Amino acid sequence: MRPIGVAPGAASLQLVGGVSLLRPEEQVFSAMLAGYANQQLARNLARSTVEGREHTVRAFSHYVNAFPWQWSPAMIDEWLGDLRSLRELKRSTIRSYSEAVRSFCHFVTDPAYEWTTTCEERFGTHPIQVVHEWNTAQHVQATEADPKKRAFTKKELHEFFAYADDQVARIRAFGRKGWLPAFRYATLFKTAYAFGLRRNETRMLDAVDFARNVAGQEFGEYGLCRVRFGKAKKGSPPKQRSVMTVWDWTPDILDEWFSEIRPLLGADGSPAAWPSERGARIGCQRLDSRFVAYRRELGLDDGLDFHSLRRSYVTHLIEDGWDPRFVQEQVGHEHASTTSIYTCVGSDFRKRTLRRHLDGVVAAALAGPEVLS
């Protein structure tokens, strides 16, 4: 039980006072990282986030070959410069690395956690904050996504889905069992697009997450999709939302999957909509690898990734005249500006919009001044 008044991650909780350490530098550093993890978990951050930050701090320490109480701003300059110039990492990746080190330094220099005092006693020096505004890039834009990333055109999307269906037919024609996983991928990709889902939102769906919608009775049992593992904010649980079905072909593919195909996988005891042969549900890495394989076979550029299915959903609804506010609610964006970033309308749509507007102006002018007023 933690003593009252002692912060989670404090040195007194990680090190036994008065005990001589065999490898003091390494053991104190490990204790610091353990305390840092406890502090981050106490903030309710995801374990994957905590582990990623710990890995980054270890990587920085290994690069500069120094322990935290020996770090200096010049070291972070050299490390980040190397990441940018030699490894050519993305700006957002470098910023996340610098944020991890900044957060760690903030933790070990906070008097509440006693690490500065501990280091002074053991090593005659103490850690300092090495990440500042003047030696790291600032996040000033709404998005820093790779400009190559884009939505499918409707023609490309049709080709992609047709190719996924062809793989099912081809494998099945040879009498091989692989047609069931191929069918799963084909249906999963279509579902991600049909509801504008993120990758993890799609893979975490259960069979019971599809239901009727009183406002769309024509869609039957698949009138809406309940997303229970939406993108979470820091320290918060996954954000949930319900996405209404908008295309009439969606219920057909889902009904075929759940009624005829999924039972063949022997997944009676699994709640997952997309059960895996090796685990409870399909993994993100396998989704990505299958997506990339299909994309390459079709000769499509690498600006298309799994998230492009979500971009396409937003883009195609806007192009088809759906209300932007409705689209924003469907994809679970808090701000309309975020939805606008996803919208990659084609030149044909813009030309039609311009032509419709100009024709309206001309028609109003010909009708007389009273119409213009």
Side-chain angles (χ1 to χ4, degrees):
M1 182 176 179
R2 187 174 79 243
I4 297 175
V6 179
S12 59
L13 296 178
Q14 305 300 323
L15 295 171
V16 180
V19 176
S20 178
L21 303 178
L22 296 177
R23 300 182 304 279
E25 292 87 356
E26 295 178 10
Q27 289 176 270
V28 169
F29 183 36
S30 295
M32 279 182 170
L33 288 170
Y36 177 60
N38 289 337
Q39 184 251 14
Q40 298 282 284
L41 291 172
R43 292 175 54 199
N44 209 25
L45 297 183
R47 189 170 295 276
S48 58
T49 300
V50 176
E51 292 174 351
R53 289 182 174 182
E54 180 181 348
H55 176 77
T56 299
V57 172
R58 286 188 181 276
F60 172 58
S61 181
H62 177 75
Y63 177 88
V64 298
N65 193 28
F67 293 105
W69 49 91
Q70 300 167 330
W71 294 350
S72 68
M75 292 178 176
I76 202 75
D77 294 349
E78 180 183 352
W79 183 56
L80 296 179
D82 180 77
L83 293 176
R84 180 72 189 278
S85 60
L86 300 182
R87 296 181 57 185
E88 298 182 347
L89 296 184
K90 296 179 181 179
R91 290 177 174 84
S92 57
T93 302
I94 294 176
R95 183 173 297 108
S96 70
Y97 285 1
S98 64
E99 171 58 24
V101 177
R102 186 204 66 79
S103 174
F104 176 78
C105 288
H106 181 75
F107 163 72
V108 295
T109 57
D110 190 329
Y113 297 104
E114 309 166 354
W115 288 108
T116 52
T117 303
T118 298
C119 290
E120 282 282 3
E121 293 173 351
R122 293 180 181 272
F123 311 116
T125 185
H126 59 81
I128 61 172
Q129 178 61 263
V130 298
V131 181
H132 305 276
E133 290 186 3
W134 43 264
N135 68 346
T136 54
Q138 302 301 304
H139 191 175
V140 296
Q141 296 189 148
T143 178
E144 294 181 328
D146 188 336
K148 294 189 301 182
K149 301 302 181 183
R150 62 179 180 86
F152 285 89
T153 65
K154 291 184 177 179
K155 180 176 181 295
E156 289 173 335
L157 192 65
H158 175 76
E159 292 175 349
F160 185 86
F161 289 157
Y163 182 82
D165 290 338
D166 289 343
Q167 298 312 296
V168 179
R170 181 182 62 81
I171 297 172
R172 195 171 188 177
F174 283 102
R176 288 153 53 184
K177 295 181 179 179
W179 72 271
L180 285 173
F183 204 117
R184 176 188 58 207
Y185 286 116
T187 307
L188 186 151
F189 291 146
K190 294 172 187 175
T191 302
Y193 169 70
F195 295 101
L197 305 179
R198 299 177 177 90
R199 181 184 58 180
N200 193 59
E201 292 174 349
T202 308
R203 65 174 289 269
M204 292 302 294
L205 287 175
D206 285 345
V208 297
D209 289 332
F210 298 94
R212 287 181 172 272
N213 179 7
V214 294
Q217 296 288 355
E218 60 267 46
F219 298 124
E221 299 296 328
Y222 303 99
L224 61 82
C225 173
R226 297 190 183 94
V227 178
R228 294 179 294 112
F229 290 88
K231 186 177 181 180
K233 294 183 178 180
K234 288 183 178 180
S236 300
K239 187 177 180 181
Q240 302 185 38
R241 71 181 188 279
S242 291
V243 186
M244 299 181 183
T245 303
V246 296
W247 288 304
D248 55 9
W249 51 264
T250 305
D252 294 334
I253 65 164
L254 290 173
D255 183 62
E256 182 181 21
W257 168 252
F258 286 110
S259 300
E260 303 176 25
I261 308 302
R262 184 174 174 273
L264 300 178
L265 289 171
D268 295 338
S270 172
W274 326 109
S276 171
E277 305 87 344
R278 301 176 183 176
R281 62 184 73 240
I282 195 71
C284 288
Q285 185 174 0
R286 294 176 68 190
L287 286 181
D288 286 342
S289 60
R290 182 60 64 107
F291 183 96
V292 170
Y294 288 0
R295 184 191 69 199
R296 288 175 177 171
E297 287 296 323
L298 289 169
L300 299 172
D301 62 78
D302 59 6
L304 295 171
D305 56 11
F306 192 100
H307 207 71
S308 291
L309 297 170
R310 179 171 164 88
R311 298 186 189 98
S312 303
Y313 175 84
V314 173
T315 298
H316 297 165
L317 285 181
I318 295 297
E319 288 183 338
D320 289 344
W322 289 80
D323 184 87
R325 177 65 184 183
F326 173 80
V327 178
Q328 178 186 341
E329 293 292 333
Q330 287 281 93
V331 294
H333 286 157
E334 186 173 350
H335 304 289
S337 57
T338 307
T339 308
S340 68
I341 293 169
Y342 278 66
T343 308
C344 313
V345 294
S347 59
D348 289 342
F349 171 78
R350 288 182 288 138
K351 290 175 183 176
R352 291 196 304 271
T353 303
L354 175 63
R355 187 69 267 160
R356 184 169 62 251
H357 176 75
L358 294 177
D359 289 345
V361 172
V362 172
L366 293 176
E370 56 277 350
V371 175
L372 290 175
S373 61

